[in-house]
Amino acid sequence: MSEQITVKTMAEFTAEGKQPEILFWVGSAGSYDDRAKKISRAFVKILNKANVEFAVLGSEESCTGDVAKRAGNEFLFQMQAMMNIEVLNGYEIKRIVTCDPHSFNTLKNEYPGLGGNYDVVHHTQYIKELLDGGRLSLEGQVYKEKRITFHDPCYLGRANSVFDAPREVLKKTNANILEMKRHKKDALCCGAGGAQMFKEPEKGDMDINVLRTKDALETNPNIIATGCPYCNTMMTDGIKAHEKEESVTVLDVAELIANSI
């Protein structure tokens, strides 16, 4: 039986004449991809547990335009962005939290130029805030002594220098956190960024995601943790390519925390 989760839309908050603490930007992957939906649910479970008043846009949320922009279609990007900004400004949104570093980067760095100014936070930063503020506490020792290596998503790490929040959150699980040779500023891409997710790889010796998974497997982990739905897909495919599905799992930081509360 699936747990009952409570999610209100921005329209419902407005009808009650209230403003939520945060807007949870679900993103395309978190809305439509079956694997990424589990990350969205895990994050909602965390928000409910911490009694955070949050809303989603629901059917009013559209793609941020990240993929169009990376693929070179600036016109489409601006159309998508302007539509979203109109909705966000209409609701007087101040603070946005998202599980997708691509949405995070676009909303944070590219929307201000088009009139969309918000305090944009990645979900690992927000979970850290909840833990630090005492609104969330981890129980049980689900991952005690487990070996976890964290893969830095490009648009979280190298593009926005968010390196510590996900690691500090992971440490709270009492697992052994292991670093790959290439990590933080030197981390290797999972291979999905820049709209590469939606096309076949070019010819070469090895797919990027298989190479990146090799980096992770060298730490001999039980779990590869990440903070991006696209990285999750690529690393999961990498695990299959290395035939390690029996021994290694790929989980988002939100899932690890949701399982620990």
Side-chain angles (χ1 to χ4, degrees), residues 230-258:
Y230 298 100
C231 296
N232 196 303
T233 298
M234 299 305 268
M235 300 303 273
T236 303
D237 287 352
I239 291 290
K240 287 175 187 159
H242 287 283
E243 298 182 345
K244 291 284 185 202
E245 294 139 288
E246 299 301 313
S247 53
V248 184
T249 330
V250 182
L251 289 170
D252 189 271
V253 173
E255 294 177 299
L256 288 157
I257 298 305

Side-chain angles (χ1 to χ4, degrees), residues 147-165:
R147 295 170 64 83
I148 299 180
T149 188
F150 178 69
H151 160 73
D152 290 277
C154 292
Y155 277 109
L156 184 65
R158 289 181 303 161
N160 286 289
S161 297
V162 178
F163 299 116
D164 298 336

Side-chain angles (χ1 to χ4, degrees), residues 3-248:
E3 251 179 292
Q4 191 56 44
I5 54 175
T6 331
V7 183
K8 282 168 75 173
T9 63
M10 209 46 232
E12 288 172 313
F13 266 93
T14 307
E16 292 168 13
K18 293 197 322 202
Q19 270 293 69
E21 280 181 65
I22 60 161
L23 175 79
F24 171 29
W25 186 274
V26 186
S28 306
S31 303
Y32 295 112
D33 179 78
D34 285 341
R35 177 64 188 88
K37 282 181 200 171
K38 293 179 181 171
I39 300 170
S40 304
R41 286 196 195 99
F43 186 55
V44 166
K45 181 182 166 184
I46 292 168
L47 294 174
N48 283 338
K49 186 78 178 169
N51 293 318
V52 175
E53 286 227 312
F54 74 98
V56 296
L57 285 175
S59 59
E60 292 186 276
E61 180 186 306
S62 168
C63 175
T64 58
D66 161 75
V67 175
K69 190 175 180 75
R70 303 305 151 229
N73 193 337
E74 182 65 24
F75 176 68
L76 179 58
F77 160 71
Q78 292 205 12
M79 272 186 5
Q80 290 178 303
M82 297 300 280
M83 270 167 46
N84 284 323
I85 289 169
E86 205 168 304
V87 172
L88 292 166
N89 290 352
Y91 282 126
E92 296 178 5
I93 297 297
K94 304 279 184 284
R95 197 160 202 225
I96 302 175
V97 183
T98 181
C99 298
D100 174 12
H102 299 258
S103 298
F104 167 72
N105 178 68
T106 305
L107 293 165
K108 178 177 172 359
N109 300 322
E110 288 162 351
Y111 274 33
L114 298 167
N117 295 286
Y118 320 102
D119 172 20
V120 186
V121 182
H122 186 249
H123 72 304
T124 58
Q125 294 174 306
Y126 195 68
I127 293 168
K128 181 181 183 304
E129 220 175 275
L130 295 175
L131 289 163
D132 291 349
R135 295 179 68 178
L136 190 68
S137 58
L138 304 190
E139 296 150 24
Q141 302 291 332
V142 189
Y143 298 107
K144 193 176 166 64
E145 303 304 324
K146 284 271 189 267
R147 295 170 64 83
I148 299 180
T149 188
F150 178 69
H151 160 73
D152 290 277
C154 292
Y155 277 109
L156 184 65
R158 289 181 303 161
N160 286 289
S161 297
V162 178
F163 299 116
D164 298 336
R167 288 172 170 82
E168 284 170 30
V169 167
L170 286 171
K171 277 179 191 151
K172 298 267 203 259
T173 62
N174 290 321
N176 294 323
I177 311 302
L178 316 151
E179 292 290 5
M180 299 181 219
K181 282 202 307 280
R182 295 184 263 204
H183 65 281
K184 294 190 175 175
K185 277 248 178 285
D186 301 317
L188 182 70
C189 176
C190 73
Q196 299 291 321
M197 178 82 172
F198 308 106
K199 57 183 272 298
E200 290 306 310
E202 283 93 13
K203 286 187 170 56
D205 299 332
M206 191 186 284
D207 287 358
I208 299 252
N209 64 314
V210 176
L211 180 58
R212 185 54 174 161
T213 308
K214 188 167 171 283
D215 284 358
L217 292 174
E218 281 169 10
T219 67
N220 190 22
N222 304 112
I223 296 162
I224 299 171
T226 187
C228 170
Y230 298 100
C231 296
N232 196 303
T233 298
M234 299 305 268
M235 300 303 273
T236 303
D237 287 352
I239 291 290
K240 287 175 187 159
H242 287 283
E243 298 182 345
K244 291 284 185 202
E245 294 139 288
E246 299 301 313
S247 53
V248 184

